[in-house]
Amino acid sequence: LSEENLSKAIGRRGQNVRLASKLTNYEIDILTDKEDSDRRQVEFKERTENLIKSLEVDETLGQLLVSEGFQNIEDITKIEGIDEATATELIERSKENLIKEKKEISKKLKELGVEDSLINLKGITQGMLVLLGQRNIKKLIEFADLSSDELIGGFDEIKGKKVRIEGYLEEFSLSRKEADELIMSAREI
């Protein structure tokens, strides 16, 4: 938003933002054009650094991949300016990096004491398992006892005030239906 529209979007004492949050059940951040630009620059830099590290590419190629909207390794062959030999090499590096990451996460899960019954739950990812393990949810039965709000976040009323509750797996952007399905499949087992 431009600075002049910022106060209109927020509304008197934040009423517009509160209403929109209530209606959508999402926490809403309103950013000025400059704040949005700064955020995008930070994201671009972080994504570039991640590719440089994980694919062992130079900064120029990392920036090219990010600016072309590179999301997964299959996309690499569609990017102009990357020849077939380079694409093949990057695909191999990506596969090797993925195997290495999976081994590291598997080791981390063992260190955290996450049980195999939870690890083998269909639909749950290793990243989710690490976060759950760090929050002391290590058994299938502990996961089955959770509510969808505990997983994805939500609102609760405490002393007459609506309070935002952060979900354990909020960063994974699960829908309520997906969260409910995960919990129900754990309960069925």
Side-chain angles (χ1 to χ4, degrees):
L1 293 172
S2 65
E3 293 284 346
E4 60 199 44
N5 290 327
L6 185 62
S7 63
K8 289 179 188 174
I10 294 171
R12 187 179 302 144
R13 294 189 301 276
Q15 68 184 12
N16 293 349
V17 175
R18 280 196 310 279
L19 178 59
S21 290
K22 194 174 192 176
L23 290 172
T24 61
N25 207 20
Y26 285 100
E27 189 172 320
I28 297 175
D29 288 332
I30 295 183
L31 305 174
T32 64
D33 290 336
K34 183 177 180 344
E35 288 169 333
D36 186 45
S37 174
D38 292 346
R39 181 185 55 84
R40 288 176 194 265
Q41 285 176 10
V42 167
E43 284 176 5
F44 185 88
K45 186 176 182 215
E46 286 172 354
R47 289 178 63 203
T48 300
E49 287 171 358
N50 187 34
L51 286 176
I52 290 169
K53 181 182 170 198
S54 63
L55 296 180
E56 297 175 12
V57 297
D58 65 20
E59 187 174 1
T60 305
L61 183 51
Q63 289 175 348
L64 171 66
L65 292 171
V66 173
S67 65
E68 289 289 328
F70 176 77
Q71 295 295 322
N72 60 47
I73 199 62
E74 289 77 27
D75 291 343
I76 204 147
T77 55
K78 300 173 190 164
I79 297 175
E80 266 185 56
I82 295 182
D83 59 62
E84 195 173 328
T86 303
T88 303
E89 173 66 23
L90 290 175
I91 289 168
E92 279 307 306
R93 287 183 194 177
S94 177
K95 286 178 183 174
E96 289 169 11
N97 188 56
L98 192 59
I99 290 167
K100 182 179 159 192
E101 281 180 4
K102 282 188 174 187
K103 284 181 183 175
E104 288 172 4
I105 291 174
S106 190
K107 182 182 173 189
K108 176 91 173 165
L109 291 174
K110 280 188 176 37
E111 288 170 2
L112 287 168
V114 177
E115 293 186 352
D116 287 343
S117 58
L118 183 55
I119 291 171
N120 296 326
L121 180 64
K122 187 180 177 194
I124 203 158
T125 67
Q126 285 187 313
M128 292 175 185
L129 290 164
V130 169
L131 281 180
L132 290 169
Q134 289 170 339
R135 289 169 171 84
N136 213 27
I137 298 163
K138 302 175 183 185
K139 299 178 182 179
L140 186 67
I141 195 162
E142 293 167 343
F143 183 80
D145 282 341
L146 297 176
S147 70
S148 55
D149 280 349
E150 288 174 297
L151 285 186
I152 63 173
F155 293 90
D156 199 0
E157 193 148 325
I158 299 173
K159 295 181 182 176
K161 289 189 175 187
K162 199 170 188 178
V163 178
R164 175 91 171 91
I165 296 179
E166 187 178 335
Y168 296 135
L169 303 179
E170 199 165 314
E171 68 185 69
F172 291 93
S173 302
L174 292 169
S175 69
R176 183 163 301 279
K177 182 181 178 202
E178 290 168 327
D180 287 340
E181 286 171 357
L182 273 175
I183 292 166
M184 292 311 294
S185 64
R187 289 176 183 172
E188 286 171 14
I189 296 169

